[in-house]
Amino acid sequence: MDFELSETQRPVLDALDTLLVRHAGVQRCRALAAVEGYDHALERELRVGGFFDSFTEESVGPLGATLAVERIGAHLGTIAATAHLLVLPALGVDSVEGAVALVLGGENRPVRFGAEASAVLAAGKDRCRLAHSSPTAEAALPSAYGYSLGRVASDAGEDLAPGTAATMINWWRVGMSAEAIGMMDKALDIAVRYAEDRRTFGRAVGSFQALQHRAAELTVLVEGARWLTYEAAFHGAPEQASATAAAHTMAALQKVTRETHQFLGAIGLTREHDLHLYTLRLQALRTELGGLRRHRRALVAARWGGDVS
């Protein structure tokens, strides 16, 4: 798919990058980790700046919103970007302030932002169910993954229109993949820069061909995830394209996590280093929507028919 930012998308995304440099990033991520919270300040800056409205406009569209979700992930923004920029607009639901927890109905797994959620969106067999809730500290669970986790009730609230469950899940897959791509990009960049700077036997370790081959393979995996996700967003998140993007991305992030930490060794796991800020968040994304196996089953079901469960 040939792709180029439109004259409308480019300035909006450039302005978003500027805002994220000021209000997100590794230092902000570390500060929030101390309280395991949701970044209401960042969300407020995005709202005041008109970004949430911009990405629902036809001229920017869902592809522009997907690019924004990717950028927010790359800057470690601790907000429910997928829900706010992709899922709620796709469902035609009015904007909700604060954290929005996305959950599969009938499951009782911990979900991102569950303890802080001002709204819970649950996907049933055919319909979504939207419930507004008050955040409760009792719902919070210990988390080492860069996001707060909590359990939420998925059987409360009002039912939305028929067919909304599939729409929610498809865009959830696209947004989750976009977030992961932004973080994988940064993790790979950290590993490559380390390989260029680290010297052994009188030369940079990045000059060794074996390491170059491994870095090249990771680059191919990340770029494949990127374009599959862009294609799914461009075509409106059809089931097969969304499942394909998510399946490839979740498989890629496992290898990116393993290999980037191999590049750096134990130092990448220390609190002082930035790499783990990205790779631990990737592990939180890896489990959403049932994980890699469920994405692959959804792809098979969309292509050849059958049951995902």
Side-chain angles (χ1 to χ4, degrees):
M1 181 182 74
D2 293 330
F3 169 69
E4 184 176 347
L5 290 176
S6 70
E7 294 182 0
T8 307
Q9 291 170 337
R10 187 178 300 279
V12 173
L13 291 169
D14 287 346
L16 175 63
D17 283 332
T18 301
L19 185 147
L20 291 171
V21 168
R22 295 175 180 171
H23 299 283
V26 295
Q27 297 306 322
R28 179 63 176 162
C29 178
R30 285 194 169 95
L32 285 170
V35 294
E36 295 184 349
Y38 182 84
D39 200 342
H40 294 280
L42 175 58
E43 183 184 317
R44 185 164 54 250
E45 290 292 338
L46 291 168
R47 287 188 183 279
V48 171
F51 288 99
F52 282 15
D53 295 330
S54 297
F55 291 117
T56 59
E57 294 174 1
E58 186 176 350
S59 56
V60 177
L63 177 56
T66 301
L67 292 165
V69 171
E70 178 186 340
R71 282 161 163 78
I72 292 170
H75 287 274
L76 298 172
T78 313
I79 64 169
T82 292
H84 284 300
L85 296 181
L86 292 173
V87 175
L88 293 179
L91 296 175
V93 175
D94 292 337
S95 180
V96 177
E97 290 192 14
V100 178
L102 302 179
V103 62
L104 290 174
E107 294 193 351
N108 192 32
R109 297 178 180 179
V111 296
R112 283 192 291 164
F113 312 125
E116 297 91 3
S118 58
V120 176
L121 192 60
K125 286 290 186 182
D126 181 51
R127 299 170 182 258
C128 287
R129 178 168 288 179
L130 177 64
H132 296 276
S133 62
S134 300
T136 59
E138 292 78 12
L141 298 171
S143 171
Y145 296 106
Y147 297 108
S148 63
L149 299 177
R151 299 185 189 277
V152 295
S154 61
D155 56 354
E158 61 173 309
D159 286 334
L160 302 183
T164 48
T167 299
M168 170 185 165
I169 289 172
N170 291 339
W171 279 112
W172 186 355
R173 285 195 168 105
V174 170
M176 179 177 56
S177 299
E179 289 184 72
I181 291 163
M183 287 182 265
M184 286 193 293
D185 247 350
K186 290 293 188 180
L188 182 55
D189 182 59
I190 289 170
V192 169
R193 283 191 282 110
Y194 180 84
E196 292 173 343
D197 295 338
R198 180 77 167 88
R199 301 188 68 81
T200 185
F201 303 114
R203 58 192 288 194
V205 296
S207 66
F208 292 100
Q209 193 174 60
L211 209 61
Q212 292 175 355
H213 287 170
R214 292 165 73 178
E217 182 182 5
L218 296 181
T219 301
V220 170
L221 288 173
V222 174
E223 287 303 305
R226 187 191 315 281
W227 290 103
L228 286 169
T229 300
Y230 289 177
E231 182 176 28
F234 180 80
H235 290 294
E239 183 178 8
Q240 183 175 332
S242 301
T244 301
H248 179 87
T249 302
M250 295 306 117
L253 76 79
Q254 294 185 46
K255 192 171 185 67
V256 168
T257 299
R258 183 174 64 250
E259 290 289 274
T260 53
H261 281 285
Q262 286 287 324
F263 278 34
L264 273 73
I267 192 174
L269 291 170
T270 62
R271 290 184 179 275
E272 292 78 10
H273 205 281
D274 294 344
L275 179 61
H276 78 284
L277 298 176
Y278 299 94
T279 56
L280 285 177
R281 285 192 173 208
L282 287 172
Q283 303 320 300
L285 294 177
R286 186 165 69 93
T287 64
E288 287 195 355
L289 272 172
L292 176 58
R293 179 177 296 182
R294 192 175 183 116
H295 299 314
R296 287 174 170 169
R297 291 176 68 88
L299 170 57
V300 171
R303 179 64 181 83
W304 289 285
D307 188 1
V308 178
S309 60

